[in-house]
Amino acid sequence: MSRFHSYINTTIKLVELYKGDQPFAIFIKSFFSKEKKYGSKDRKHIASLCYNYFRLGFAMRNYSAEQKIKLAVFLCEKESTDFAEKIIPEWHDKISWPLEKKLALVKDQFLIANIFPFSSELSDGITVEKYCLSMLVQPLLFLRIRPQCKVTTTKKLEKSKLDYQLIGTACIQLPAAVNVDDFFIIDKEVVVQDYNSQRVLNYLQVNEDGLLGSIVGNKGIITWDCCAASGGKSILLLDTLKHKLDLTISDIRPGIVMNLHQRFKKAGVKQYNYFIADVGDTNFSPPARDYELIICDAPCTGSGTWSRTPEQLSFFDLEDLKKYSGIQKRIAGNVVSHLKKGGIFIYITCSVFREENEAIAGFIQDTLHLDLLHQEILEGFGRRADSMFVAVFKNKAD
């Protein structure tokens, strides 16, 4: 058996063993740690084949795993290799073609819309064609330059010889494979943050004085990041608002909060409160305090990021959508009850599903009786970035 066919057989073994109960990156790392016969080049090649396989989502379910892998190589790769010449001889000289031209060539056996058979569930403004095309392309890496390090970071960037693009004044676009630790001090100089994740507070920033000016106290705006996770939105908030914050963060996972403490330390965030709790629990009650600004980056399907983690699409079930929608409503109801009159509530997901986006915004407006000021889909397909949803509300003052 040739080395290349051995790669395919190992890929088939891996995708059949994987059950979707953990990120594939963790699963494959564990597999290779036990299988010492694979060198670094082998591991890299096999991992690439696995991810390409998952990028086809629900398509080609009536074909063999080997056939799906071969077509995935043709569609997802851009340069011919010895592997492609051996495994897909009929296509390898066309592998550098534009994706649309490659899709036309294989249209008799592959329909791109079959990657994602949930088009009726998509948020307004997101088409299934764009979504499926994005699944076939690895997203780019994005960094946000922190304002206090703009000059030094820009100089480092100019000297780095990296293949970069500067979007605006603070967003750096890079190839996905760049090891940014070799060039920057992460969290102090730059934050690893997707392009659209950097934009979720734009409405608040542009309208800051009008929205927050009347509620600024002596200690700053009393703010709660209620599903803080790694703390990226809190750091973004601290970097972009002119007003001082009296910040509280919370998350359900103790380990995540411990990591957040370390990240805040590197980022120079010293003054904040925190607690660990399930904010979606029916018996939830935070420390005795109400807030003037609440950010809720809600747990969701993550469907706006599946081009980064394509294995998640293959294991998605519509029942998951109902589960997350229920969690989002409980979280919104619990945290909004601790929003002061005239306060601002920002609801965020990295989802492309209407039931997690517009439907929850409607629930917050109609059932929780907040005024909807702004909502939008931050569509990332054109920039090889994540897609997100953000809605901004104000609690009625009377």
Side-chain angles (χ1 to χ4, degrees):
M1 180 189 300
S2 74
R3 173 167 53 95
F4 297 145
H5 282 94
S6 176
Y7 287 167
I8 288 180
N9 288 339
T10 302
T11 300
I12 293 171
K13 179 180 179 180
L14 284 165
V15 299
E16 289 178 347
L17 285 173
Y18 180 62
K19 302 304 178 186
D21 54 350
Q22 60 182 316
F24 186 73
I26 295 175
F27 171 82
I28 196 171
K29 183 177 180 180
S30 175
F31 174 83
F32 284 136
S33 69
K34 298 171 185 175
E35 299 287 341
K36 304 298 184 182
K37 64 181 179 180
Y38 297 101
S40 60
K41 185 177 180 180
D42 300 328
R43 295 194 298 270
K44 183 177 180 180
H45 208 122
I46 293 166
S48 178
L49 291 177
C50 290
Y51 280 108
N52 285 344
Y53 172 92
F54 287 127
R55 288 191 179 284
L56 299 197
F58 286 83
M60 297 191 73
R61 292 218 155 182
N62 295 325
Y63 288 77
S64 70
E66 181 172 347
Q67 289 173 306
K68 188 171 179 177
I69 291 167
K70 289 180 177 180
L71 186 61
V73 169
F74 174 59
L75 293 176
C76 299
E77 298 296 335
K78 296 181 179 180
E79 296 180 1
S80 185
T81 61
D82 292 342
F83 175 85
E85 186 173 0
K86 179 71 175 179
I87 298 301
I88 50 171
E90 71 276 30
W91 293 329
H92 85 92
D93 60 336
K94 305 173 183 68
I95 207 165
S96 61
W97 282 9
L99 182 54
E100 290 79 2
K101 191 175 180 181
K102 289 196 278 188
L103 287 169
L105 182 66
V106 299
K107 63 182 179 180
D108 292 337
Q109 59 184 295
F110 177 79
L111 293 177
I112 190 168
N114 290 341
I115 290 176
F116 183 85
F118 310 107
S119 58
S120 62
E121 307 293 334
L122 288 170
S123 279
D124 298 337
I126 295 181
T127 65
V128 68
E129 292 80 11
K130 284 186 177 180
Y131 187 85
C132 292
L133 282 170
S134 76
M135 286 299 301
L136 298 177
V137 181
Q138 185 178 15
L140 296 169
L141 173 65
F142 297 90
L143 309 178
R144 180 174 62 81
I145 302 173
R146 301 202 63 203
Q148 66 271 29
C149 298
K150 183 175 180 180
V151 174
T152 56
T153 302
T154 302
K155 288 181 179 179
K156 281 188 176 184
L157 185 64
E158 292 170 349
K159 293 178 180 179
S160 68
K161 298 183 180 179
L162 288 168
D163 179 16
Y164 74 90
Q165 179 181 345
L166 190 61
I167 305 170
T169 59
C171 181
I172 305 170
Q173 174 185 298
L174 294 165
V178 172
N179 185 357
V180 294
D181 294 277
D182 293 340
F183 301 94
F184 308 106
I185 303 174
I186 304 303
D187 292 326
K188 180 180 179 180
E189 295 178 329
V190 298
V191 175
V192 179
Q193 190 168 38
D194 180 74
Y195 170 72
N196 279 324
S197 186
Q198 297 182 35
R199 300 172 65 213
V200 293
L201 300 179
N202 279 7
Y203 180 84
L204 179 66
Q205 184 181 10
V206 170
N207 300 279
E208 180 180 347
D209 291 332
L211 294 179
L212 303 176
S214 63
I215 59 176
V216 180
N218 293 332
K219 294 183 178 180
I221 300 165
I222 304 173
T223 302
W224 177 22
D225 186 351
C226 69
C227 300
S230 62
K233 302 299 187 302
S234 288
I235 298 173
L236 176 64
L237 188 66
L238 289 162
D239 283 351
T240 56
L241 291 192
K242 298 188 292 289
H243 297 300
K244 184 179 178 181
L245 301 182
D246 179 354
L247 177 65
T248 297
I249 60 96
S250 67
D251 199 274
I252 188 176
R253 300 156 292 184
I256 290 291
V257 174
M258 290 300 295
N259 291 338
L260 186 149
H261 291 326
Q262 296 301 314
R263 188 181 190 191
F264 273 10
K265 184 177 180 180
K266 291 192 293 182
V269 181
K270 299 176 181 179
Q271 299 295 324
Y272 63 97
N273 307 299
Y274 74 94
F275 61 91
I276 298 167
D278 179 0
V279 294
D281 190 283
T282 53
N283 297 316
F284 166 75
S285 181
R289 175 171 220 199
D290 286 341
Y291 300 88
E292 295 156 338
L293 172 62
I294 299 176
I295 297 176
C296 178
D297 189 355
C300 68
T301 57
S303 46
T305 70
W306 282 349
S307 56
R308 296 187 188 278
T309 54
E311 73 273 14
Q312 294 189 27
L313 171 57
S314 298
F315 289 89
F316 175 72
D317 188 284
L318 281 177
E319 289 299 315
D320 297 334
L321 190 55
K322 296 177 182 177
K323 178 189 75 173
Y324 278 110
S325 177
I327 292 171
Q328 291 149 4
K329 288 177 181 177
R330 290 196 300 274
I331 290 175
N334 284 345
V335 302
V336 161
S337 65
H338 298 279
L339 182 66
K340 287 186 176 183
K341 296 296 183 182
I344 301 299
F345 178 63
I346 302 177
Y347 174 79
I348 303 166
T349 73
C350 51
S351 173
V352 296
F353 288 119
R354 185 187 311 108
E355 191 167 342
E356 298 185 281
N357 297 339
E358 293 94 338
I360 301 299
F363 167 81
I364 294 168
Q365 186 176 17
D366 299 336
T367 304
L368 303 182
H369 308 297
L370 268 61
D371 290 330
L372 177 63
L373 304 178
H374 172 79
Q375 73 174 27
E376 66 176 317
I377 287 285
L378 300 172
E379 187 236 81
F381 309 142
R383 282 212 173 264
R384 292 173 63 183
D386 298 339
S387 291
M388 304 188 72
F389 174 82
V390 59
V392 183
F393 302 86
K394 186 172 185 177
N395 200 4
K396 299 182 192 316
D398 48 25

